[in-house]
Amino acid sequence: MKTNPGRFFEDYSVGQVIRHAVPRTLSGGERALYHALYPARGAVYSSDEFARVCGLPQSPLDDLIVFHTVFGKTVPDISLNAVANLGYAEGRFLAPVYPGDTLQSQSEVIGLKQNSNGKSGVVYVRTTGVNQRGEAVLEYVRWVMVRKRDMSAPAPETVLPDLAKVVAPADLVVPGGLTFDGYDFELAGEPYRLGDYAVGEVIEHVDGVTVEEAEHMLATRLWQNTAKVHFDATNRADGRRLIYGGHVISLARALSFNGLANAQMIVAINGGAHANPCFAGMTVRAWSEVLDKVETGVPGVGAIRLRLVATSGTGTALRDADGKYAPEVLLDLDYWALMPV
Amino acid sequence: MKTNPGRFFEDYSVGQVIRHAVPRTLSGGERALYHALYPARGAVYSSDEFARVCGLPQSPLDDLIVFHTVFGKTVPDISLNAVANLGYAEGRFLAPVYPGDTLQSQSEVIGLKQNSNGKSGVVYVRTTGVNQRGEAVLEYVRWVMVRKRDMSAPAPETVLPDLAKVVAPADLVVPGGLTFDGYDFELAGEPYRLGDYAVGEVIEHVDGVTVEEAEHMLATRLWQNTAKVHFDATNRADGRRLIYGGHVISLARALSFNGLANAQMIVAINGGAHANPCFAGMTVRAWSEVLDKVETGVPGVGAIRLRLVATSGTGTALRDADGKYAPEVLLDLDYWALMPV
Amino acid sequence: MKTNPGRFFEDYSVGQVIRHAVPRTLSGGERALYHALYPARGAVYSSDEFARVCGLPQSPLDDLIVFHTVFGKTVPDISLNAVANLGYAEGRFLAPVYPGDTLQSQSEVIGLKQNSNGKSGVVYVRTTGVNQRGEAVLEYVRWVMVRKRDMSAPAPETVLPDLAKVVAPADLVVPGGLTFDGYDFELAGEPYRLGDYAVGEVIEHVDGVTVEEAEHMLATRLWQNTAKVHFDATNRADGRRLIYGGHVISLARALSFNGLANAQMIVAINGGAHANPCFAGMTVRAWSEVLDKVETGVPGVGAIRLRLVATSGTGTALRDADGKYAPEVLLDLDYWALMPV
């Protein structure tokens, strides 16, 4: 059989390195589509002129374009037979990506644990996205639950990676040359700087977007993500297409402009959970909670740690009385973004 | 509250200048999306080679890309609390915009009139779009009805701007270097020149497009237009998303290629009314009436003044017996376009 | 009447050459949209770096972008009054097309045959796509059934072109400089080279895509294809929009990556039939049959001849017991693609 059946749990071993197909050159076309698919308005990612005032050679591609592109390549090798996408950790954006750059990605298996039912197991991978000069632009750890092909295959030795709960401020990479010295708050859309946010503050981002099938499929294909469940309505018993979790991340991040316009560039993803599935027809809203604020090594450039929650309901409920995610919560993401001090 | 509540009627004063966020660099990506969203086929905006024969350095971005980009930036400051978008006047395209250019916009309040009910008022703004060299590329006047935050706020002095019914031919700006001397009518798609059109002539544009939710949302987001009603199906009692009026303008203009293929570049918008709301599922058609024809200062380059009507029905009815717009009329736009004499 | 009524059968004569409007400059925007609309992943068309290793200056635009662009221009002149799109033959891709290139197309009428009912006839055209340097990039023969305007018009002399059943291997054009010597199978996505495929082998491509109205309309507009039936839901008695046959070709070709990842570039289209109409809501799948394998004049570069079938069902049934296409078969395409030997 020449088609790709995907890897099963027993096909992974700790230390294994997988180079993912297919390298991808990104252009202004991907940016235009990103901005048509999500209400993204961050000034650094919208304007060459604004980016230059911030010390960059031109406007980079949105941080999450890079994430989705690198992630998409891993799907045929990592998550084609995944039952669930369990979590993210230690995500760091290491260098901006510009139109014309070509990305490819590879993953190293860093942990394995068979489930007690013997039918599946958890695979931990550290994925790295690399540009055409061999420079790493993004790395992150993801773990997924993967089915076994052969239920009688022996369990591998359990290896659980030691993962940081939060990327340490000292490990955040500020893009070379970045400065907020000439930052124009009026053009950026809001007057608030790092000092205006308080830890514990909650921001409801007001706007909502009702999602269409065509939109999430355009987005998911653009990242060359091949998971059947996103495209094939005959794949689930209920005839619904599951929306790629990254689509919800991008929607929520874009909606968070309204209240966090100056949280310009994501530099780290500390963790994340796709709490409940998202389907077309839902109206997605978002709220954020300020978790931390720090200065970076670059004067004037601070970092704000945010919890970003996407919901198919209204309000800012996160968990039920018994501590489980409320049924309307779609995403709970923990990340660091750069902001003028 | 850090999110943008939008301005209310009492927040405006005559002479006030508002710089709008977020500047935007446009690329071939926006052009490709524009041509995927609308059946646009104007040769100057389709082909670098055709544009060069017409004396331009390359194919500019479609005139209405510029309009939507400049307009979109004004929404958070001008029309977030608008009850109605009442009209346009004195619109002029002042310079072509090319891939790589960055646009920003600003508006000056030029008129105010509180409504007799004391609950809202009309705000007149003159908006200017500017490129990265500080050159104005577009200006237009728009007036909107905006709610008051505080019903007891005193009415401002009424100031009504003196607006031209039509942009005078002498005020039309022909792009520098433009020539139709080598114009290839066959490649442009139709043989008709300015002399072939008669004032009063009506052209039914034949084609129709049934509109989908995903399409108008992609378009409206691309222009960074943030008005909730376009995206959030929970925002109206009837659960319908209102389609951005500019989407209807672009649809109708593109449909008008069939019969007006040589009306190459819009140079002025004399006026316009969004007569009735447009919703997904409607099949939009268009017809045009020739209102005037003039020569410009550039030999061989004429200007045709057109009424462009978009309709959700068929035929060319504009008004009911009592003089009101017929219920199927969506748009009544009055503009000047350049055409070979 | 200034709008285009399209040509009728009696408007064509053998030897007639029609230059089609409107020339089109393509950019990275068209590529990004193509990859959002179809799950295309071919490495040569995805990565500048991969293309350079294969001896090309950068990643060309997908072969079918070129086909659709050239084809779209012919619609207003050839198939506006077509009753049916009957077939393709002698299609050859003659030179790669890169972002920034401008394409136009022209057709020569090479055959005519009035139907026995006297109401319509078959028109054969050879269409050539040309770039801004006047170089032919694609040529193909298409024949369509076109209505007569005047049923009493006399029948033209019947001329039936002599068309090759298959483009001869010696006539396949390998792009200048192409080499697979440094080909990286891992990055390309699959290990299979020409020698790994057997004539007669059938590959089911596993994945399926449920089609949305917005998607096929975005695609069809992008190619400036103006056929009403694709856009106007009021155009057919059943209120359904017919999906452009080329949309199905691109979907099927992209799905065939899974099993044919190294069938990198289409160089010829030997024939094709749109067996049954495709409508939104269908889930499209694809399977391929290997029809032939040959070496080209370039060492290491082979060509594989494939039957590509798109289906709205499952499985690989092609014809009913009586030899007619099975009702779920949408497309039966016969083409040559280049593959490492």
PDB file of all heavy atoms in Angstrom, chain C residues 256-279:
ATOM      1  N   SER C 256      -4.426  12.976  -4.643  1.00  0.00           N
ATOM      2  CA  SER C 256      -3.581  11.871  -5.101  1.00  0.00           C
ATOM      3  C   SER C 256      -2.151  11.981  -4.577  1.00  0.00           C
ATOM      4  O   SER C 256      -1.345  11.063  -4.795  1.00  0.00           O
ATOM      5  CB  SER C 256      -3.588  11.791  -6.629  1.00  0.00           C
ATOM      6  OG  SER C 256      -2.746  12.766  -7.200  1.00  0.00           O
ATOM      7  N   PHE C 257      -1.819  13.063  -3.903  1.00  0.00           N
ATOM      8  CA  PHE C 257      -0.513  13.157  -3.239  1.00  0.00           C
ATOM      9  C   PHE C 257      -0.284  11.932  -2.367  1.00  0.00           C
ATOM     10  O   PHE C 257       0.821  11.410  -2.284  1.00  0.00           O
ATOM     11  CB  PHE C 257      -0.445  14.428  -2.384  1.00  0.00           C
ATOM     12  CG  PHE C 257       0.834  14.571  -1.610  1.00  0.00           C
ATOM     13  CD1 PHE C 257       1.908  15.253  -2.150  1.00  0.00           C
ATOM     14  CD2 PHE C 257       0.979  14.014  -0.334  1.00  0.00           C
ATOM     15  CE1 PHE C 257       3.109  15.378  -1.449  1.00  0.00           C
ATOM     16  CE2 PHE C 257       2.174  14.133   0.376  1.00  0.00           C
ATOM     17  CZ  PHE C 257       3.231  14.814  -0.189  1.00  0.00           C
ATOM     18  N   ASN C 258      -1.336  11.507  -1.712  1.00  0.00           N
ATOM     19  CA  ASN C 258      -1.244  10.378  -0.786  1.00  0.00           C
ATOM     20  C   ASN C 258      -1.157   9.077  -1.583  1.00  0.00           C
ATOM     21  O   ASN C 258      -2.135   8.413  -1.847  1.00  0.00           O
ATOM     22  CB  ASN C 258      -2.463  10.389   0.138  1.00  0.00           C
ATOM     23  CG  ASN C 258      -2.197   9.618   1.430  1.00  0.00           C
ATOM     24  OD1 ASN C 258      -1.281   8.817   1.506  1.00  0.00           O
ATOM     25  ND2 ASN C 258      -3.020   9.869   2.432  1.00  0.00           N
ATOM     26  N   GLY C 259       0.073   8.740  -1.975  1.00  0.00           N
ATOM     27  CA  GLY C 259       0.309   7.551  -2.801  1.00  0.00           C
ATOM     28  C   GLY C 259       1.072   7.896  -4.065  1.00  0.00           C
ATOM     29  O   GLY C 259       1.660   7.028  -4.700  1.00  0.00           O
ATOM     30  N   LEU C 260       1.032   9.184  -4.421  1.00  0.00           N
ATOM     31  CA  LEU C 260       1.731   9.633  -5.634  1.00  0.00           C
ATOM     32  C   LEU C 260       2.478  10.941  -5.365  1.00  0.00           C
ATOM     33  O   LEU C 260       2.533  11.841  -6.216  1.00  0.00           O
ATOM     34  CB  LEU C 260       0.735   9.828  -6.788  1.00  0.00           C
ATOM     35  CG  LEU C 260       0.203   8.541  -7.435  1.00  0.00           C
ATOM     36  CD1 LEU C 260      -1.024   8.846  -8.288  1.00  0.00           C
ATOM     37  CD2 LEU C 260       1.294   7.878  -8.286  1.00  0.00           C
ATOM     38  N   ALA C 261       3.077  11.028  -4.199  1.00  0.00           N
ATOM     39  CA  ALA C 261       3.734  12.278  -3.791  1.00  0.00           C
ATOM     40  C   ALA C 261       4.861  12.665  -4.740  1.00  0.00           C
ATOM     41  O   ALA C 261       5.201  13.837  -4.865  1.00  0.00           O
ATOM     42  CB  ALA C 261       4.277  12.155  -2.371  1.00  0.00           C
ATOM     43  N   ASN C 262       5.430  11.677  -5.419  1.00  0.00           N
ATOM     44  CA  ASN C 262       6.566  11.987  -6.285  1.00  0.00           C
ATOM     45  C   ASN C 262       6.187  12.150  -7.755  1.00  0.00           C
ATOM     46  O   ASN C 262       7.060  12.341  -8.594  1.00  0.00           O
ATOM     47  CB  ASN C 262       7.649  10.922  -6.092  1.00  0.00           C
ATOM     48  CG  ASN C 262       8.157  10.930  -4.655  1.00  0.00           C
ATOM     49  OD1 ASN C 262       8.398  11.996  -4.094  1.00  0.00           O
ATOM     50  ND2 ASN C 262       8.259   9.763  -4.044  1.00  0.00           N
ATOM     51  N   ALA C 263       4.895  12.083  -8.052  1.00  0.00           N
ATOM     52  CA  ALA C 263       4.417  12.440  -9.400  1.00  0.00           C
ATOM     53  C   ALA C 263       4.360  13.959  -9.426  1.00  0.00           C
ATOM     54  O   ALA C 263       3.321  14.583  -9.286  1.00  0.00           O
ATOM     55  CB  ALA C 263       3.045  11.828  -9.658  1.00  0.00           C
ATOM     56  N   GLN C 264       5.547  14.591  -9.583  1.00  0.00           N
ATOM     57  CA  GLN C 264       5.715  15.993  -9.227  1.00  0.00           C
ATOM     58  C   GLN C 264       5.027  16.988 -10.157  1.00  0.00           C
ATOM     59  O   GLN C 264       4.358  17.900  -9.729  1.00  0.00           O
ATOM     60  CB  GLN C 264       7.206  16.339  -9.145  1.00  0.00           C
ATOM     61  CG  GLN C 264       7.885  15.815  -7.894  1.00  0.00           C
ATOM     62  CD  GLN C 264       7.505  16.572  -6.618  1.00  0.00           C
ATOM     63  OE1 GLN C 264       6.803  17.563  -6.666  1.00  0.00           O
ATOM     64  NE2 GLN C 264       7.951  16.078  -5.486  1.00  0.00           N
ATOM     65  N   MET C 265       5.238  16.864 -11.450  1.00  0.00           N
ATOM     66  CA  MET C 265       4.754  17.902 -12.362  1.00  0.00           C
ATOM     67  C   MET C 265       3.948  17.262 -13.481  1.00  0.00           C
ATOM     68  O   MET C 265       4.442  16.350 -14.153  1.00  0.00           O
ATOM     69  CB  MET C 265       5.935  18.658 -12.969  1.00  0.00           C
ATOM     70  CG  MET C 265       6.920  19.211 -11.945  1.00  0.00           C
ATOM     71  SD  MET C 265       8.334  20.086 -12.742  1.00  0.00           S
ATOM     72  CE  MET C 265       7.625  21.732 -12.955  1.00  0.00           C
ATOM     73  N   ILE C 266       2.759  17.744 -13.704  1.00  0.00           N
ATOM     74  CA  ILE C 266       1.986  17.290 -14.851  1.00  0.00           C
ATOM     75  C   ILE C 266       2.640  17.867 -16.106  1.00  0.00           C
ATOM     76  O   ILE C 266       2.919  19.071 -16.171  1.00  0.00           O
ATOM     77  CB  ILE C 266       0.520  17.746 -14.764  1.00  0.00           C
ATOM     78  CG1 ILE C 266      -0.144  17.144 -13.510  1.00  0.00           C
ATOM     79  CG2 ILE C 266      -0.252  17.322 -16.013  1.00  0.00           C
ATOM     80  CD1 ILE C 266      -1.607  17.520 -13.350  1.00  0.00           C
ATOM     81  N   VAL C 267       2.919  16.999 -17.086  1.00  0.00           N
ATOM     82  CA  VAL C 267       3.492  17.501 -18.341  1.00  0.00           C
ATOM     83  C   VAL C 267       2.544  17.316 -19.519  1.00  0.00           C
ATOM     84  O   VAL C 267       2.741  17.924 -20.564  1.00  0.00           O
ATOM     85  CB  VAL C 267       4.858  16.864 -18.667  1.00  0.00           C
ATOM     86  CG1 VAL C 267       5.948  17.523 -17.836  1.00  0.00           C
ATOM     87  CG2 VAL C 267       4.835  15.352 -18.472  1.00  0.00           C
ATOM     88  N   ALA C 268       1.537  16.464 -19.361  1.00  0.00           N
ATOM     89  CA  ALA C 268       0.593  16.300 -20.473  1.00  0.00           C
ATOM     90  C   ALA C 268      -0.760  15.843 -19.956  1.00  0.00           C
ATOM     91  O   ALA C 268      -0.850  15.142 -18.943  1.00  0.00           O
ATOM     92  CB  ALA C 268       1.129  15.299 -21.479  1.00  0.00           C
ATOM     93  N   ILE C 269      -1.800  16.259 -20.665  1.00  0.00           N
ATOM     94  CA  ILE C 269      -3.158  15.767 -20.416  1.00  0.00           C
ATOM     95  C   ILE C 269      -3.584  15.044 -21.687  1.00  0.00           C
ATOM     96  O   ILE C 269      -3.743  15.651 -22.748  1.00  0.00           O
ATOM     97  CB  ILE C 269      -4.106  16.925 -20.067  1.00  0.00           C
ATOM     98  CG1 ILE C 269      -3.703  17.525 -18.715  1.00  0.00           C
ATOM     99  CG2 ILE C 269      -5.564  16.444 -20.029  1.00  0.00           C
ATOM    100  CD1 ILE C 269      -4.489  18.744 -18.292  1.00  0.00           C
ATOM    101  N   ASN C 270      -3.734  13.735 -21.569  1.00  0.00           N
ATOM    102  CA  ASN C 270      -4.042  12.916 -22.742  1.00  0.00           C
ATOM    103  C   ASN C 270      -5.528  12.928 -23.075  1.00  0.00           C
ATOM    104  O   ASN C 270      -5.910  12.788 -24.234  1.00  0.00           O
ATOM    105  CB  ASN C 270      -3.600  11.477 -22.482  1.00  0.00           C
ATOM    106  CG  ASN C 270      -2.111  11.381 -22.227  1.00  0.00           C
ATOM    107  OD1 ASN C 270      -1.317  11.892 -23.016  1.00  0.00           O
ATOM    108  ND2 ASN C 270      -1.722  10.790 -21.113  1.00  0.00           N
ATOM    109  N   GLY C 271      -6.332  13.059 -22.053  1.00  0.00           N
ATOM    110  CA  GLY C 271      -7.767  13.058 -22.273  1.00  0.00           C
ATOM    111  C   GLY C 271      -8.471  13.241 -20.950  1.00  0.00           C
ATOM    112  O   GLY C 271      -7.843  13.164 -19.887  1.00  0.00           O
ATOM    113  N   GLY C 272      -9.759  13.504 -21.017  1.00  0.00           N
ATOM    114  CA  GLY C 272     -10.476  13.680 -19.770  1.00  0.00           C
ATOM    115  C   GLY C 272     -11.955  13.814 -20.006  1.00  0.00           C
ATOM    116  O   GLY C 272     -12.381  14.341 -21.029  1.00  0.00           O
ATOM    117  N   ALA C 273     -12.723  13.325 -19.054  1.00  0.00           N
ATOM    118  CA  ALA C 273     -14.178  13.448 -19.137  1.00  0.00           C
ATOM    119  C   ALA C 273     -14.716  13.831 -17.766  1.00  0.00           C
ATOM    120  O   ALA C 273     -14.280  13.277 -16.750  1.00  0.00           O
ATOM    121  CB  ALA C 273     -14.787  12.132 -19.586  1.00  0.00           C
ATOM    122  N   HIS C 274     -15.628  14.809 -17.770  1.00  0.00           N
ATOM    123  CA  HIS C 274     -16.358  15.135 -16.539  1.00  0.00           C
ATOM    124  C   HIS C 274     -17.591  14.245 -16.554  1.00  0.00           C
ATOM    125  O   HIS C 274     -18.621  14.586 -17.120  1.00  0.00           O
ATOM    126  CB  HIS C 274     -16.704  16.619 -16.519  1.00  0.00           C
ATOM    127  CG  HIS C 274     -15.482  17.486 -16.522  1.00  0.00           C
ATOM    128  ND1 HIS C 274     -14.631  17.564 -15.447  1.00  0.00           N
ATOM    129  CD2 HIS C 274     -14.936  18.284 -17.473  1.00  0.00           C
ATOM    130  CE1 HIS C 274     -13.620  18.373 -15.735  1.00  0.00           C
ATOM    131  NE2 HIS C 274     -13.781  18.823 -16.956  1.00  0.00           N
ATOM    132  N   ALA C 275     -17.474  13.090 -15.928  1.00  0.00           N
ATOM    133  CA  ALA C 275     -18.441  12.005 -16.119  1.00  0.00           C
ATOM    134  C   ALA C 275     -19.817  12.344 -15.555  1.00  0.00           C
ATOM    135  O   ALA C 275     -20.839  12.023 -16.162  1.00  0.00           O
ATOM    136  CB  ALA C 275     -17.893  10.731 -15.483  1.00  0.00           C
ATOM    137  N   ASN C 276     -19.841  12.994 -14.387  1.00  0.00           N
ATOM    138  CA  ASN C 276     -21.102  13.407 -13.770  1.00  0.00           C
ATOM    139  C   ASN C 276     -20.881  14.741 -13.084  1.00  0.00           C
ATOM    140  O   ASN C 276     -19.767  15.056 -12.690  1.00  0.00           O
ATOM    141  CB  ASN C 276     -21.551  12.373 -12.719  1.00  0.00           C
ATOM    142  CG  ASN C 276     -22.091  11.109 -13.352  1.00  0.00           C
ATOM    143  OD1 ASN C 276     -23.174  11.099 -13.911  1.00  0.00           O
ATOM    144  ND2 ASN C 276     -21.301  10.027 -13.282  1.00  0.00           N
ATOM    145  N   PRO C 277     -21.951  15.528 -12.923  1.00  0.00           N
ATOM    146  CA  PRO C 277     -21.772  16.835 -12.303  1.00  0.00           C
ATOM    147  C   PRO C 277     -21.446  16.719 -10.816  1.00  0.00           C
ATOM    148  O   PRO C 277     -21.839  15.759 -10.156  1.00  0.00           O
ATOM    149  CB  PRO C 277     -23.126  17.522 -12.505  1.00  0.00           C
ATOM    150  CG  PRO C 277     -24.106  16.416 -12.725  1.00  0.00           C
ATOM    151  CD  PRO C 277     -23.342  15.291 -13.364  1.00  0.00           C
ATOM    152  N   CYS C 278     -20.724  17.708 -10.314  1.00  0.00           N
ATOM    153  CA  CYS C 278     -20.378  17.768  -8.895  1.00  0.00           C
ATOM    154  C   CYS C 278     -21.108  18.943  -8.264  1.00  0.00           C
ATOM    155  O   CYS C 278     -21.181  20.027  -8.857  1.00  0.00           O
ATOM    156  CB  CYS C 278     -18.862  17.930  -8.750  1.00  0.00           C
ATOM    157  SG  CYS C 278     -18.281  17.946  -7.045  1.00  0.00           S
ATOM    158  N   PHE C 279     -21.632  18.712  -7.070  1.00  0.00           N
ATOM    159  CA  PHE C 279     -22.353  19.767  -6.345  1.00  0.00           C
ATOM    160  C   PHE C 279     -21.806  19.887  -4.917  1.00  0.00           C
ATOM    161  O   PHE C 279     -21.254  18.927  -4.373  1.00  0.00           O
ATOM    162  CB  PHE C 279     -23.849  19.438  -6.290  1.00  0.00           C
ATOM    163  CG  PHE C 279     -24.497  19.354  -7.634  1.00  0.00           C
ATOM    164  CD1 PHE C 279     -24.802  18.125  -8.208  1.00  0.00           C
ATOM    165  CD2 PHE C 279     -24.796  20.511  -8.350  1.00  0.00           C
ATOM    166  CE1 PHE C 279     -25.391  18.044  -9.468  1.00  0.00           C
ATOM    167  CE2 PHE C 279     -25.386  20.438  -9.611  1.00  0.00           C
ATOM    168  CZ  PHE C 279     -25.689  19.210 -10.173  1.00  0.00           C
TER     169      PHE C 279
END
